[in-house]
Amino acid sequence: MRVHLDAGICQGHNRCYALAPAVFDVDEYGQAVQRIDDELPSELEARARLAAANCPEYAITLTD
Amino acid sequence: MTDVSERPERVPPIIKDTPEGADVWERVPWDAEMYGPVQDWATDIDHGRPEYNENAHQIWHDLRESGCPVAHSERYGGMWAPITHETVHEIAYDTENFTSRSVVVSHLRPGDLQLPAPIGGAPPITSDPPFHQVARRLLLPPFAPKQIEPWEDEVRTLCRGLLDAMGDVTPGETIIDGAVQYAQHIPVNVIGRMLGFPQEDEERFRGFVHDTLERINEDPNERSDSFQHLEMYIDDQIEDHIANPRDDLTSYLLDVEIEGNKLERDHVRGTIILLLIAGIDTTWSAIGSSLWHLAQHPDDRHRLADDPEVMDFALEEFLRAYAPVTMARLVAKDNDFHGCPMKKDDWVLLPFPAANRDPKQFEDAEGFIIDRQVNRHSAFGLGIHRCLGSNLARLELRIAIEEFVARFRDFELAGDVKWSIGQIRGPRVLPLRIL
């Protein structure tokens, strides 16, 4: 699984950082930053799914 | 602190009568009879009536069930109220047809020139693109998660102190007020300290909030004094910070620059008003509504106390189910919205709390699922105006609930609850019997 964060859509709700801090960080403006561009380690997949399912702006997509 | 009410010579020109043209605040005709009880929420909706917040969930439910996605009212000079997720979202993202020039519906509407777009009276909440992004970017860093997280210990100490101050509790007998003795003190204390304002003025801040947000249905001629007092109070604080700069948000705003220029005084004052007003009764309402829920749901109370990790999800469910904040817009240009003929300068309520309870968007939308896994709620808004203080609000709400349920495992409602009036919904009187 890979994650894709659309930084142009992110409004800094910080749900992804709260739910999946190993996958997402936040910058000094509170905007989400993707930590992992490559294939996710399988143990992080559930958290990445949660992050996507709780982003109010639909800024996160997951691909297999 | 000098009482600002003794200094009428400094009354700033906030509200002007409109001698000609629409370049200043327009007073919408007002008389008490026009703002009486509502007979039909679809055609006469009025969030300024006490029965609105008392029955909000039922009102939204009934409107949805009757196939009315957008309610209307002739009050306030004309107002629309979308109540479905779809319609609320659409307006939140549409900054072309809907301006944020004023975000509190009242009998006063700002004309185009009084608050020249895009800055507005309380930037960035009252700003439109492209200035909005400039004003907002200044404020994002101090409210970013990593700046807010260090406040946790202080908020916890504050909450424990409030619980301690309730004194000896006799289970089954003692009644405390979860709003008056607890919720209302938490955000006002924190934002007051962040701004560097005197702690002893907290009661005054709550007065400003009440006047600005709750008295919308009262005679506007009697309300204008309170705005003037608020602006004069902020000006006094600004002067004090110019004379004695310190490490707080007020000094930050006086020091920060846009393209090499310090902010205009109106900008600094407007932003401080925003931070003070928006940071108080919103979170106070969220804390109070959450306690109101817990008082009636022992299973949820016990789950929080026994399984603290559920808070990651419970926090968001409190925010979804009891979102306190309804925003507002003004129609920027005539447009047809889902068949509604919206006219320039009509008000539009933006009830995110109603969107959060729309069954088309949420499974079991009107229930409370403490560990809801999919929760794209919009308690903090959507799009460019996402609540700037959302990280702080979450911190305060989480700790307030954690500390309350850790102290009082069981409690129940013990009398009449009084709900707020206006766009911010939450209990203002919340009697709880400790069991």
Side-chain angles (χ1 to χ4, degrees), chain B residues 16-27 109-114:
Chain B
K16 302 170 185 171
D17 286 321
T18 314
E20 54 189 1
D23 59 337
V24 290
W25 290 91
E26 175 198 359
R27 284 175 191 275
R109 290 194 292 201
D112 292 342
L113 300 178
Q114 171 65 13

Side-chain angles (χ1 to χ4, degrees), chain B residues 265-293:
Chain B
R265 170 64 72 92
D266 286 351
H267 185 154
V268 173
R269 187 198 301 116
T271 295
I272 292 174
I273 288 173
L274 163 62
L275 297 177
L276 189 66
I277 300 292
I280 295 181
D281 68 338
T282 49
T283 310
W284 156 17
S285 294
I287 297 168
S289 294
S290 301
L291 293 178
W292 179 83
H293 173 89

Side-chain angles (χ1 to χ4, degrees), chain A residues 11-15 17-19 25-31 35 47 50 52-58 60, chain B residues 93 136-137 140-141 144-146 149 312-313 316 361 373-377 381-384 386 390-391 394:
Chain A
Q11 294 292 351
H13 291 262
N14 289 308
R15 298 290 295 124
Y17 172 60
L19 289 165
D25 196 3
V26 279
D27 67 15
E28 63 169 309
Y29 293 94
Q31 294 290 111
R35 285 185 192 271
R47 284 274 146 184
L50 266 183
N54 286 276
C55 175
E57 308 284 349
Y58 292 82
I60 299 167
Chain B
Y93 287 111
R136 182 175 172 86
R137 202 167 167 80
L140 287 170
K146 290 171 187 175
E149 284 160 10
D312 286 349
F313 300 99
E316 302 305 317
Q361 176 69 7
Q373 301 288 297
V374 180
N375 199 347
R376 291 187 179 91
H377 71 78
L382 289 166
I384 65 169
R386 186 268 304 168
S390 62
N391 300 302
R394 281 194 167 98

Side-chain angles (χ1 to χ4, degrees), chain B residues 415-430:
Chain B
D416 291 339
V417 176
K418 183 184 170 205
W419 293 86
S420 59
I421 292 173
Q423 287 175 231
I424 314 300
R425 179 178 187 271
R428 292 292 173 268
V429 174
L430 180 64

